[in-house]
Amino acid sequence: MTNDNEIKKEIVLPQYEWFVNKKDNKPVSNIFTGSYGTDKQHGCATSTIFNYKVHVVDVGKDTAHIVGECYISKPWNNQNQKELLSVSKAECSYSGLNDISLWLNKELKKFIENKTNGGITMFEIYKNKIQEMFGPNNSCPHYAECRKYVKYSNCNKIIDKFVFDRARIGELYGVENNIPKIVMVGIEGFSSEQVISTVIHPALTDRAVNPHYRGVKYILAYLLADFLGKDKPQPKITKKGVPWVNDALKRYTLCNLYKCAFVPENEPDKEKGLCHTREMSSNCINLLIKEIKILEPDIIVIQSSNDGVFTETMRTKLYQEFSCKKTLDIDGSAANLYEGYVNSKHISIIRTMHGSDWTFKTHNYIENCLNPILDKAIEIYESTN
């Protein structure tokens, strides 16, 4: 059970005197209303909103009491009858107002925790937008063109490892106000998993010690620590990782650059050294850009040490699409940060070394290159939100 002292007061009510005063020598009460969860870009069009009201009933009478009400309203484009959460009553006093304040913030806390079970989530928005763009079968329009030119020297016949890999969206991505939405961009997936509603947490799988994911987990933990009231990780990458990292993993989205993977028929489980054709490079970056426009992140992180995989041409297209300018550059390509806009929303795009690169594992790189870039991204988010 949560202690009342542990409830974070997202909703701050006015002083008691604001609710109970006099006008023309007659007792009157002001009504305090508000909402939580309205999207800064789309308002209530795509968001499920927590609405609340606090007022005094029978002001000036012996039966006077404070009433708190709250309900959830569905997005404007999916209107249904409002769902009444609950009503709470308390004595008309300073103590009673404090009781209503605690109750209201508890209800809000439950709303935040349960939001992905009701209303339209980012996962649903993403799924609907992808379906609008590519049809009910979610088929990639470039599949045949890209597959045609894939070749391996040791085998003449290729097979599909997976096709049109889509974003893995954390269950709390975009749910909470004042916590940055982070998109990590990988090179390609490992399996045929397609759209899933929550991230398959690397910390809970056999890939927990994968170098790429060690880098992902460190960066996420560092970026989100202050927002989640946690300690920032020490400047080192370990297999053990950050104890509270699953709290961070729930709040990010993983996108892969290459949407399809084709392998030799005689190596169906091949994971490294996959063929990326010129056609794939050209088409996949455009698909990634479309995904980013749907997800509207605050921070994008690209982990790439190999210019031959995530090429300079591809990165340049990404920067141009989002009107980016370079803000901070440390040691050339080792770590840099660009600022730009996605649908008029201010964003930061970070490029770091890949988690598997030996440089990434050094204390010097993390402390003197990576962390200053991450600090700058946090500073930009806080100054623009």
Side-chain angles (χ1 to χ4, degrees):
M1 182 177 293
T2 305
N3 188 295
D4 286 348
N5 294 326
E6 297 174 350
I7 297 293
K8 182 179 179 181
K9 289 192 175 182
E10 296 280 358
I11 300 172
V12 179
L13 299 180
Q15 296 294 320
Y16 175 75
E17 288 79 8
W18 186 88
F19 286 96
V20 180
N21 51 47
K22 289 187 177 182
K23 183 178 181 180
D24 298 329
N25 290 322
K26 295 181 179 180
V28 295
S29 173
N30 291 313
I31 300 174
F32 186 77
T33 63
S35 62
Y36 182 99
T38 303
D39 186 270
K40 293 181 181 179
Q41 301 296 323
H42 305 295
C44 60
T46 59
S47 298
T48 299
I49 311 300
F50 179 92
N51 304 275
Y52 55 89
K53 178 171 76 172
V54 177
H55 59 111
V56 176
V57 174
D58 292 341
V59 62
K61 300 180 180 178
D62 292 339
T63 56
H65 57 278
I66 302 174
V67 176
E69 302 174 29
C70 59
Y71 67 90
I72 288 175
S73 60
K74 299 294 184 181
W76 186 258
N77 59 9
N78 187 30
Q79 282 291 319
N80 290 308
Q81 185 177 2
K82 67 184 182 183
E83 175 189 348
L84 187 64
L85 288 182
S86 58
V87 176
S88 182
K89 299 179 182 180
E91 66 179 35
C92 192
S93 65
Y94 291 98
S95 175
L97 183 61
N98 184 61
D99 291 341
I100 293 294
S101 176
L102 285 172
W103 167 81
L104 199 55
N105 280 282
K106 285 180 181 178
E107 292 297 314
L108 176 58
K109 183 174 184 291
K110 288 190 290 185
F111 167 77
I112 292 173
E113 291 175 345
N114 296 328
K115 187 173 180 181
T116 52
N117 294 322
I120 293 184
T121 64
M122 180 54 73
F123 167 67
E124 290 171 313
I125 292 171
Y126 173 87
K127 182 179 67 175
N128 293 339
K129 290 289 187 182
I130 288 291
Q131 196 169 62
E132 286 175 14
M133 288 191 290
F134 302 115
N137 295 326
N138 289 340
S139 56
C140 178
H142 311 295
Y143 166 76
E145 177 191 11
C146 291
R147 194 181 193 279
K148 179 179 178 181
Y149 296 100
V150 174
K151 293 182 180 179
Y152 289 95
S153 59
N154 65 338
C155 184
N156 292 326
K157 188 173 182 180
I158 65 165
I159 57 175
D160 299 345
K161 185 175 177 69
F162 55 83
V163 177
F164 201 18
D165 185 30
R166 276 145 282 175
R168 285 120 168 101
I169 301 174
E171 58 207 69
L172 295 180
Y173 177 87
V175 171
E176 302 148 305
N177 286 356
N178 304 317
I179 292 183
K181 294 188 289 186
I182 300 171
V183 166
M184 305 288 293
V185 179
I187 300 304
E188 61 206 345
F190 285 107
S191 70
S192 58
E193 286 287 348
Q194 295 296 297
V195 178
I196 52 176
S197 59
T198 58
V199 173
I200 297 176
H201 296 170
L204 305 179
T205 73
D206 292 337
R207 299 192 187 280
V209 296
N210 176 285
H212 168 65
Y213 276 128
R214 290 207 294 271
V216 166
K217 290 187 286 186
Y218 176 86
I219 290 172
L220 285 173
Y222 193 95
L223 287 172
L224 293 176
D226 289 343
F227 298 97
L228 299 179
K230 306 289 186 178
D231 293 329
K232 285 186 176 179
Q234 295 299 309
K236 59 183 179 180
I237 305 295
T238 65
K239 290 185 177 181
K240 186 176 181 181
V242 183
W244 57 269
V245 73
N246 276 354
D247 289 341
L249 292 170
K250 294 176 183 178
R251 293 168 168 85
Y252 94 111
T253 288
L254 173 64
C255 288
N256 285 309
L257 171 60
Y258 290 104
K259 305 306 179 186
C260 298
F262 309 106
V263 296
E265 186 181 41
N266 58 358
E267 294 183 77
D269 298 323
K270 184 178 178 68
E271 291 183 350
K272 295 183 179 180
L274 299 188
C275 177
H276 302 126
T277 66
R278 181 174 57 187
E279 290 75 19
M280 291 175 69
S281 298
S282 175
N283 294 326
C284 285
I285 188 65
N286 291 327
L287 293 175
L288 176 63
I289 287 169
K290 289 179 180 179
E291 284 186 306
I292 290 171
K293 288 181 178 179
I294 296 171
L295 294 166
E296 293 190 336
D298 299 293
I299 300 172
I300 300 170
V301 181
I302 300 169
Q303 281 189 299
S304 174
S305 307
N306 188 343
D307 283 343
V309 178
F310 203 133
T311 66
E312 183 177 352
T313 300
M314 299 169 83
R315 293 197 306 274
T316 298
K317 184 172 181 61
L318 192 72
Y319 299 148
Q320 290 176 342
E321 181 68 33
F322 299 127
S323 305
C324 291
K325 64 176 182 179
K326 186 181 286 187
T327 300
L328 185 59
D329 193 340
I330 300 178
D331 194 18
S333 63
N336 51 49
L337 183 147
Y338 287 74
E339 289 181 72
Y341 295 88
V342 173
N343 304 336
S344 301
K345 175 188 176 71
H346 202 106
I347 60 162
S348 295
I349 301 181
I350 298 169
R351 187 195 177 201
T352 78
M353 303 300 285
H354 193 274
S356 62
D357 193 287
W358 70 268
T359 306
F360 198 100
K361 302 168 187 175
T362 66
H363 182 280
N364 179 64
Y365 174 75
I366 295 173
E367 188 165 54
N368 298 318
C369 291
L370 179 59
N371 286 359
I373 291 287
L374 302 180
D375 287 333
K376 186 64 177 178
I378 295 169
E379 177 189 323
I380 291 169
Y381 170 79
E382 291 179 329
S383 67
T384 56
N385 287 272

